[in-house]
Structure formats: C-alpha cells, structure tokens
Amino acid sequence: MAPGRDISPGASVQGKDKSSTKEIITDTNNNAVSMGDDKSISDRELDAYMERYNRWQQSAAGKWAQDKLADWTGLKFDNEIKWKNVFLLGTLHLVTAALFFVYVWEATPVTYLWCFFVGGCAGFGVTAGAHRLWTHRAYKANLPLRVILMCCFCMSGQNTLYDWIRDHRIHHKYSETDADPHNSNRGFFFAHVGWLLLRKHPECIKKGRLIDMSDIMADPVVRFQEKYFPLLKTLFTYVIPSVIPWYFFGQDFMLSFLSNCLLRNVLTLNFTWLVNSAAHMYGSKPYDNRIQPVENKWVSMVAMGEGWHNYHHVFPWDYKAAELGDYKVNVSTFWIDLFAKIGWAWDLKEPSKELVKRTIAKYGDGTHINGKIEHLAEVPYPETQKTQ
C-alpha cells in the first residue's frame, strides 16, 4: 500500500505480490482515517497560526467596494471578497469571451487539434496526477510518469500541486461543511468559482493546516514544482502552448495566444470546477443516497472521467474514480491503464465486486445502471492481477 494510506480493520487485499498491478480491496476505507491529521502540530502552533489568519483585515477600499456591491445586488457575503482574484478571473473570462467572436473565424484545423491536445494534457495532469495519484494514492507511478503528470498539471493554470492536494483532501474529509473549501451547500456559484473569490472560512484554514501532507512533500517532483511554480506555470500554461503552433505550424501569434492562453485555459478551469459544482448537485446517487455528490455523465465527458462523483466519494481510492472502466467517458483511466501496461504505473487500487454490491444494496437510491438492486450479476469482477 502507498505510504500514509490505511485499510480499515477487516479489510483484505488480493494480488498484493510484487508482480501485481492491481489491489482489490474488499472492505471500505474511511476517509477520516486515510487522510489523517499531522500529529506533529501542537495546539499552541495551531492557535498561533489561526491568530495570524484572523488578524488580517480587508483594506478600506475593498470593504467599501464589497459593501456597495452587497447594497446593489442584495447579496450577503459570508467572507471578505478577494478583489485580486475577482479582477484576474473576471478579466480572463471577459477578454476571452470578447476576443472569441473576433478570432473564431480565423481558426484552422491545427488550432482545434492543438487546443484539444493541450487541453487533454492539462486534464490528464489534474485527473490522473493531482487527483488520483497524489491526493488519493489510488496507484503508484515511477519518476518519469510523475514528471509528466507534474508538467501536464502545470498546463492547467491552477494553483500549486501542494495547495490543490491539500484542498481536495479536506474537501473529502469534511465534505459539505464549513471546512470544505468549495462547500456546495453555499450554492452552485460558490462551489464552482466563488470559493476562489472569497476568503476561506476559518474552519477551512484550520483543517487545511492540520491535514497530513508529509507524503506529498516527500516526493521530490512535488517539491520541485512548489519551488519553481511561477516559472513552471508561466512556461507550461502560456509560453509553450502559444509558441509551438506559431513557430512550427505558422499560425498567427495572436490567434495562438487567444486559443491556448485564454480560451483553452478558461475551458480547462471550468471543466475542473464543474466537478465541484454540478457533480455535487445534478445527478443520481446509486452508491450512497446520504451524501451530496452525484453521478453526472456530462461532467465526466468534459472532465475526463471525474463526473462519477457519487461513486468517487464512496470509494475515493479507486484509481478509475468510477465503477466501470468505460474509456469513452473516463479517458484518464485509459491512460493510467496504458502506463500500467508498460510498467510505469502499478498497484492500481479498486474495490471488490462484493463491496460495491453491498454498498449499493445498503445505501444506493435504486438508480444503479444494472437496474434493481437484487440483480447485480452483471457488475464485472475486476482483474486481480496484471503482469508488468
């Protein structure tokens, strides 16, 4: 098993010999156990950290602008607005929308193919890298694959790997509470992008400071990305995607910049954000009707397999992030399986058929793909071994 991961008492793992690439888990894994707190942080250190956070005050201009916006819209803001983020993200979306209608007529097949390729790389870095590998330890990867995943993640235009993983771990551990960075109980807009525009709830800051990230910082690839993040983000999000089609394919530089640094970037961000918003609100709950995450095929299509969210929150350590490995709506699984075939990925964790059946029968809402709960013979048995 990966460092820092735990299987609840009574669990059994099949195919755990050195030649196995898959681990079949037959008992549920508790998020609160697998994503434990950092025991090295004392109460005094935590209190001092929170005191520094609570000492911050919004500028007079920022407070005036927020009060005026609240009066004008009738909205009540739970926390202070981060005006810098509002400006950056707002400008990015508005400029992209305005220039799209100017340059869309000049787009060529190369424009679309290159954007599709870069977007796919960025999505792969988020889904197979930041999410399934580093956050959930759903599989293991060798150094070359981890470097590829890190570079692809840098194309997504998001925060550092460390920040992304920390936020996602506390999202799972404290889902739909004040400690959840994008708590969907606060509405679609907040869960989608609003959480980036407002100062975090103090409980979110506290839990984020406590979550154990020692396994992440033990990875030299993550440490490298953390150290050189501004340079890597600039290079992989803006420079490389824009320069290559201009230099090698003769595209107009403005068109190349717009299609990759603006439009593709905006789409990548929103496809990721949909997992936090739409996949927590619109869909079915065949695995656990007690939680808010849902199964949403449309989100899965644009987010490379991340829309099967009811399943994912029940079995977060499944490397597929879904019950079925259907590559059409889970392309990230295809790439992980491909790298497993050449020996770059291994220990692909997934639950046993029996555990999935028991979970559906006990907690599902009756909408499972196989119809009535008592007829589950078609749920496929996962392979217990793959030779590297």
Side-chain angles (χ1 to χ4, degrees):
M1 300 297 294
R5 304 295 291 176
D6 185 31
I7 297 296
S8 302
S12 65
V13 178
Q14 305 169 16
K16 201 178 176 184
D17 59 89
K18 292 182 179 179
S19 65
S20 173
T21 65
K22 285 195 177 183
E23 295 185 18
I24 311 305
I25 302 172
T26 56
D27 204 348
T28 189
N29 190 4
N30 191 323
N31 275 326
V33 174
S34 64
M35 300 178 186
D37 289 342
D38 186 348
K39 302 301 183 183
S40 67
I41 300 175
S42 67
D43 291 341
R44 175 178 289 185
E45 289 174 317
L46 183 61
D47 289 342
Y49 182 79
M50 293 306 299
E51 182 180 353
R52 288 194 299 272
Y53 180 77
N54 293 324
R55 195 182 300 150
W56 180 89
Q57 290 186 348
Q58 191 178 38
S59 68
K63 187 177 185 306
W64 177 85
Q66 183 164 333
D67 290 340
K68 289 296 181 181
L69 182 63
D71 293 340
W72 180 56
T73 62
L75 297 174
K76 181 181 179 181
F77 298 99
D78 298 331
N79 302 94
E80 297 91 348
I81 294 176
K82 298 164 70 171
W83 287 106
K84 177 183 176 181
N85 286 10
V86 171
F87 174 77
L88 292 175
L89 287 173
T91 301
L92 174 65
H93 282 72
L94 289 174
V95 171
T96 299
L99 293 181
F100 173 79
F101 293 101
V102 176
Y103 283 90
V104 66
W105 316 111
E106 300 181 21
T108 67
V110 170
T111 308
Y112 292 109
L113 288 173
W114 179 249
C115 285
F116 185 80
F117 172 76
V118 174
C121 289
F124 180 61
V126 174
T127 61
H131 189 209
R132 304 185 196 184
L133 174 64
W134 279 299
T135 297
H136 295 297
R137 296 299 185 183
Y139 67 100
K140 296 176 184 176
N142 64 7
L143 179 61
L145 177 53
R146 298 203 313 277
V147 170
I148 291 172
L149 288 166
M150 182 271 289
C151 293
C152 287
F153 176 82
C154 290
M155 288 183 170
S156 69
Q158 302 189 39
N159 292 330
T160 66
L161 273 169
Y162 183 93
D163 287 345
W164 201 103
I165 296 162
R166 178 203 61 211
D167 284 352
H168 196 71
R169 284 185 172 181
I170 60 175
H171 163 65
H172 271 265
K173 190 172 182 179
Y174 305 103
S175 189
E176 325 311 347
T177 70
D178 287 336
D180 185 348
H182 31 80
N183 177 8
S184 64
N185 286 325
R186 297 175 68 175
F188 181 93
F189 182 80
F190 178 85
H192 192 75
V193 65
W195 66 284
L196 294 169
L197 309 179
L198 295 177
R199 199 157 180 259
K200 286 183 177 178
H201 192 284
E203 194 65 19
C204 180
I205 294 296
K206 179 180 179 180
K207 298 303 184 185
R209 180 68 180 90
L210 284 172
I211 202 75
D212 187 0
M213 295 286 287
S214 58
D215 61 316
I216 299 304
M217 294 312 292
D219 190 334
V221 175
V222 178
R223 294 200 305 271
F224 180 85
Q225 200 256 4
E226 184 77 10
K227 183 177 181 179
Y228 299 105
F229 172 68
L231 175 63
L232 290 169
K233 181 175 181 178
T234 301
L235 185 64
F236 285 99
T237 300
Y238 305 110
V239 177
I240 291 178
S242 297
V243 168
I244 287 181
W246 165 70
Y247 187 82
F248 290 99
F249 305 131
Q251 283 219 317
D252 176 73
F253 183 79
M254 190 63 183
L255 174 62
S256 183
F257 175 82
L258 169 63
S259 59
N260 289 283
C261 294
L262 299 184
L263 180 60
R264 192 275 311 166
N265 191 18
V266 164
L267 291 177
T268 298
L269 290 173
N270 281 275
F271 290 164
T272 301
W273 295 340
L274 282 171
V275 180
N276 302 329
S277 54
H280 275 255
M281 296 181 178
Y282 310 118
S284 60
K285 302 178 181 181
Y287 302 96
D288 195 337
N289 197 34
R290 303 168 302 170
I291 60 178
Q292 288 189 210
V294 298
E295 303 286 283
N296 190 307
K297 180 178 180 179
W298 301 107
V299 173
S300 198
M301 290 173 65
V302 298
M304 298 178 65
E306 300 294 277
W308 310 114
H309 221 47
N310 189 249
Y311 178 92
H312 173 61
H313 269 256
V314 177
F315 306 110
W317 33 261
D318 188 334
Y319 84 99
K320 305 184 305 299
E323 181 186 354
L324 306 176
D326 188 339
Y327 295 152
K328 295 191 299 295
V329 287
N330 199 342
V331 69
S332 298
T333 300
F334 166 80
W335 288 111
I336 297 173
D337 284 343
L338 182 64
F339 280 110
K341 289 182 184 297
I342 64 173
W344 286 26
W346 65 95
D347 286 352
L348 313 181
K349 299 179 182 67
E350 56 184 346
S352 67
K353 170 190 173 181
E354 288 75 18
L355 176 56
V356 175
K357 287 172 62 176
R358 292 201 309 269
T359 303
I360 294 170
K362 189 171 184 179
Y363 300 119
D365 64 1
T367 62
H368 190 267
I369 190 173
N370 289 309
K372 294 183 178 180
I373 290 175
E374 59 265 30
H375 298 125
L376 291 176
E378 294 182 18
V379 178
Y381 281 93
E383 297 177 52
T384 57
Q385 284 192 351
K386 278 188 180 179
T387 303
Q388 290 188 27

